[in-house]
Amino acid sequence: MPQSPPTTPAKRADAERNREKILSAARAAFAAPDADASMAEISRQAGVGMATLYRNFASRRELLEALYTDEVDALVDAAAAHEDAPAGDALFAWLQRFFTYFSSKRHVASELLEDSGDSNPVFGQNRARVLAAGQPLLAAAQDAGEIRGDLTLEQILDLVGAIAKLPGEASYVEPILMAALDGLRAS
Amino acid sequence: MPQSPPTTPAKRADAERNREKILSAARAAFAAPDADASMAEISRQAGVGMATLYRNFASRRELLEALYTDEVDALVDAAAAHEDAPAGDALFAWLQRFFTYFSSKRHVASELLEDSGDSNPVFGQNRARVLAAGQPLLAAAQDAGEIRGDLTLEQILDLVGAIAKLPGEASYVEPILMAALDGLRAS
């Protein structure tokens, strides 16, 4: 990564802040489907120069991959955060988080797919991380008899992902998600 | 339609048989994703000459539209066939039929979409017919208190269609469908 190493704590903090400002501007740009998500516009919105932008992310693709991985980090952290809730509730809260993640990452993921194809290792690696993070939640909810035992986490995430891909407003799609989640309860 | 009107009952029956043979060969060709579904191969499989094929269907697109409409006819008929079953069972049986229809029509529909775009009226018309056919089944099942009342038929069909689009073997996808259908039951 062509990022020159900052030498003092103040410079390191500055560099970290710039990186965060860029990621946050890029996240906002990709959340609005019609927004201009060019590198120039992202640098403008982040309030950093193009040189700083490219020092942090050598290419648009590198920025996209960082955005994508950041979302997965948040999702993986969320799995740990719910550990103290009752097993079924913890799983449902995390699945709803997955739904939001899946809905919001779509523009980033589809541009990455176009640019680098299915074979970009970022997809497989992150999928494996998501499955590993959710697996203990599902196992606990199944052990507690709260969630049906005949589906794997992969099947459940495919179901939630398929619903997240449906076109339509949240008021149309969310009741569909609620019904599907109810279907996961052990009867 | 450039089909010369048969003059005697025997000729009419012949013509009808040829049309059925062509549709059946085309259906089989499209059911196998890697099969050769060219007009030449369909005429060979149907055992009719190219002239007869083109007399029935002036273009490949006309054949695709006929295939598509035929599938919808079968689905609409199936809604009526279940009318005597208990309301919840009737709806579920029909939704499973819809799932099969949706899985099998995909190659036909995607080729039609490529060829004629979203705006081909065959899609809107047939969607309206499917909704009209299923609506009484849903209303009866909701009135009987067997199916949750907070989803419309459009939402339910979008859910089933999204599952039908998932990649994977039937043994992977069908348990997902079963869970989603369970989620439709009134709790």
Side-chain angles (χ1 to χ4, degrees):
Chain A
M1 197 165 301
Q3 189 176 347
S4 47
T7 46
T8 68
K11 278 197 184 168
R12 264 200 302 279
D14 256 12
E16 183 56 34
R17 251 196 309 276
N18 279 339
R19 189 184 155 87
E20 275 314 310
K21 281 196 280 187
I22 294 166
L23 283 172
S24 159
R27 201 174 292 121
F30 276 99
D34 299 327
D36 173 5
S38 64
M39 289 295 262
E41 182 59 21
I42 289 170
S43 107
R44 198 159 22 243
Q45 293 292 334
V48 306
M50 288 294 268
T52 302
L53 174 52
Y54 278 100
R55 200 160 49 238
N56 277 276
F57 302 99
S59 66
R60 180 183 176 77
R61 175 160 155 192
E62 216 173 83
L63 173 57
L64 286 168
E65 290 182 357
L67 261 188
Y68 187 79
T69 301
D70 250 35
E71 298 278 318
V72 175
D73 287 346
L75 186 63
V76 167
D77 290 349
H82 291 301
E83 261 168 6
D84 295 333
D89 295 350
L91 178 68
F92 282 130
W94 188 71
L95 290 176
Q96 286 188 288
R97 185 75 186 62
F98 177 81
F99 176 80
T100 309
Y101 148 81
F102 204 97
S103 312
S104 66
K105 76 162 192 189
R106 281 171 67 192
H107 301 291
V108 175
S110 65
E111 194 171 324
L112 264 181
L113 277 170
E114 262 174 46
D115 187 48
S116 58
D118 256 344
S119 58
N120 187 325
V122 80
F123 291 116
Q125 286 157 6
N126 279 321
R127 185 172 171 85
R129 288 175 62 214
V130 170
L131 286 168
Q135 195 53 59
L137 292 174
L138 176 60
Q142 285 176 331
D143 287 350
E146 295 178 36
I147 297 296
R148 59 196 297 149
D150 62 351
L151 293 181
T152 63
L153 185 58
E154 224 161 344
Q155 286 170 308
I156 293 173
L157 295 184
D158 272 353
L159 172 61
V160 175
I163 297 169
K165 276 195 230 166
L166 286 175
E169 300 291 315
S171 61
Y172 181 84
V173 179
E174 276 167 14
I176 302 175
L177 176 66
M178 291 306 120
L181 294 183
D182 278 347
L184 299 181
R185 292 182 200 281
S187 53
Chain B
M1 198 165 303
Q3 188 175 350
S4 47
T7 46
T8 68
K11 278 197 184 168
R12 263 200 302 278
D14 257 13
E16 183 56 33
R17 252 195 308 276
N18 279 339
R19 188 184 156 87
E20 277 312 312
K21 281 195 279 188
I22 294 166
L23 282 173
S24 158
R27 202 174 293 121
F30 276 99
D34 299 326
D36 173 6
S38 64
M39 291 296 262
E41 182 59 21
I42 289 170
S43 107
R44 195 157 28 242
Q45 293 293 334
V48 305
M50 289 293 269
T52 302
L53 174 53
Y54 278 100
R55 200 159 49 239
N56 278 276
F57 301 99
S59 66
R60 180 181 175 77
R61 174 162 155 189
E62 216 173 82
L63 173 57
L64 285 168
E65 289 182 357
L67 259 189
Y68 187 79
T69 302
D70 249 36
E71 298 277 319
V72 175
D73 287 346
L75 186 63
V76 166
D77 291 348
H82 292 299
E83 261 168 5
D84 295 333
D89 295 351
L91 178 68
F92 282 129
W94 187 71
L95 290 175
Q96 287 188 285
R97 184 77 184 63
F98 176 80
F99 175 81
T100 308
Y101 146 82
F102 204 97
S103 312
S104 66
K105 76 161 193 190
R106 280 172 66 191
H107 301 291
V108 175
S110 64
E111 194 170 324
L112 263 181
L113 277 171
E114 262 174 43
D115 188 47
S116 59
D118 256 345
S119 59
N120 187 324
V122 79
F123 290 117
Q125 286 157 7
N126 279 321
R127 184 171 172 86
R129 288 174 61 215
V130 170
L131 285 168
Q135 195 53 60
L137 292 175
L138 176 61
Q142 284 175 331
D143 287 350
E146 294 178 37
I147 297 296
R148 60 196 298 151
D150 61 350
L151 293 182
T152 63
L153 185 58
E154 226 164 340
Q155 287 170 307
I156 293 173
L157 294 185
D158 272 354
L159 172 61
V160 174
I163 297 168
K165 276 195 231 166
L166 286 174
E169 301 290 314
S171 61
Y172 181 85
V173 178
E174 275 167 15
I176 301 175
L177 176 67
M178 291 307 120
L181 294 183
D182 279 347
L184 300 180
R185 294 181 200 280
S187 54

